Amino acid sequence: VLLAVKAAAVWLLFRERPFAIDPTVLSLDISVDPGSFPSAHTMLAFGIAASMLLAGYRQLGRWLIIVALLVAFGRVAAGVHFVSDVLAGAVFGIAVAWILHHESGTLKRYLPKE
């Protein structure tokens, strides 16, 4: 679901990566897709952390939020995302986790009983 959100956002709101726009931005010498918005790495990290928090794993969720913040910082520091890219990734990841968590009860009634 998160990757579908990422693909839709890239299609609707395409923006080049920072190092492609500004040659003074240092970047890693790697091959990446040209779409910058939103950060899929950040989206996945925050989605997993939010899922753990919503599932009741408070201690693990808190640690994963810290890891997700480090991922977001690293993406900006590496020059592959703007701050707005990682903020959007965090919001999308948390939103998808929240929607899936709250809709899981609705979906469970359609699943076969054990």
Side-chain angles (χ1 to χ4, degrees), residues 1 10 12 14 16 18 32 36 39 47 49 52-53 65 68 73 80 82 86-87 95 114:
V1 174
V10 166
L12 292 170
F14 181 79
E16 289 189 23
V32 293
S36 176
S39 168
M52 291 298 109
L53 284 170
I65 288 290
F73 176 78
V80 293
F82 295 100
V86 297
L87 289 175
E114 291 184 36

Side-chain angles (χ1 to χ4, degrees), residues 15-36 75-82 85:
R15 174 170 59 192
E16 289 189 23
R17 294 192 180 269
F19 62 84
I21 295 170
D22 184 0
T24 63
V25 174
L26 297 176
S27 69
L28 302 174
D29 188 21
I30 56 173
S31 175
V32 293
D33 66 84
S36 176
R75 301 303 290 171
V76 175
V80 293
H81 286 290
F82 295 100
D85 297 341

